[in-house]
Amino acid sequence: KALTIADKWEVPFKHINVDAVGPVGGQYKLAFAQMGVPVNTIYNGQTPLGDWDVLWPQHKKGVVNSGGMKMFLNRRAELHWVMRTVFEREYISLRREKDADSFIYEACQLKYGYKDNGVLWIESKPNSYVPRTGFSPDISDAVLLTLARDAVYCRATIEEPGAANIPGKPSHQEKNIFL
């Protein structure tokens, strides 16, 4: 299904992001590898990458706050905060279709907090979210995965709408990137 959608929207396969963790993520990662499709594998437990520093220019590489402290526990916490920020600033929006309501419901169920040192954490999906809610946040995770790579393209769009004239990429004439 991912390849069909990517083909329809003329997205190069290398821009498909796959959750590489867990039994389902591992199966998708393996399936794409067996087909020879070069996808981005995302590891939510890894150290934050800071590739969205354009959202927080006052922070060093978007991962360390102005006091020199780490802002996010892991990549998952970082991407959830990115998702929150880009929706809040209206850099992206969802089309009102059936998945939009599911996304909102799933995202609003998520618990988060701060450690004593101020580091943001997001609840574990397999150990907390799924047992507590009875479902996996698949739609919310799909939106999250769209923000996991290609930050250079999105950064150009955010900084100067319409300026993302990167070869092989569509040009956006407005600040919203529709998902």
Side-chain angles (χ1 to χ4, degrees):
K1 184 174 178 179
L3 298 179
T4 302
I5 293 169
D7 189 51
K8 175 182 175 183
W9 290 94
E10 299 179 3
V11 174
F13 293 155
K14 68 181 180 179
H15 294 295
I16 296 173
N17 299 330
V18 177
D19 184 354
V21 180
V24 176
Q27 289 174 0
Y28 283 122
K29 177 183 164 186
L30 179 62
F32 281 118
Q34 289 173 343
M35 291 186 290
V37 176
V39 297
N40 290 317
T41 50
I42 310 304
Y43 297 91
N44 286 320
Q46 78 181 67
T47 302
L49 299 180
D51 55 347
W52 280 93
D53 56 327
V54 68
L55 297 176
W56 307 285
Q58 71 276 22
H59 302 312
K60 180 182 177 185
K61 204 166 189 278
V63 177
V64 179
N65 68 20
S66 55
M69 298 294 295
K70 183 175 158 182
M71 294 172 55
F72 308 107
L73 178 65
N74 53 27
R75 182 67 168 158
R76 185 164 185 262
E78 178 184 34
L79 288 172
H80 273 282
W81 205 251
V82 166
M83 183 166 64
R84 173 196 176 273
T85 303
V86 296
F87 274 111
E88 184 178 70
R89 296 182 187 176
E90 298 181 0
Y91 292 147
I92 65 173
S93 59
L94 292 174
R95 295 173 192 237
R96 293 299 289 173
E97 295 176 6
K98 65 177 179 131
D99 290 341
D101 290 336
S102 296
F103 165 78
I104 292 166
Y105 183 75
E106 292 172 5
C108 288
Q109 301 301 313
L110 188 69
K111 291 186 177 185
Y112 69 95
Y114 296 90
K115 292 181 165 252
D116 290 340
N117 60 1
V119 173
L120 175 73
W121 59 265
I122 302 292
E123 78 177 313
S124 165
K125 188 167 66 171
N127 298 331
S128 179
Y129 186 100
V130 173
R132 182 175 54 78
T133 63
F135 61 87
S136 178
D138 296 336
I139 304 299
S140 178
D141 279 356
V143 173
L144 190 74
L145 285 171
T146 66
L147 300 170
R149 292 281 190 257
D150 214 4
V152 171
Y153 169 67
C154 294
R155 177 181 297 123
T157 305
I158 288 169
E159 289 177 345
E160 186 178 338
N165 294 322
I166 299 171
K169 290 289 188 178
S171 175
H172 292 277
Q173 298 302 319
E174 54 190 26
K175 75 176 183 177
N176 286 346
I177 299 171
F178 292 95
L179 301 175

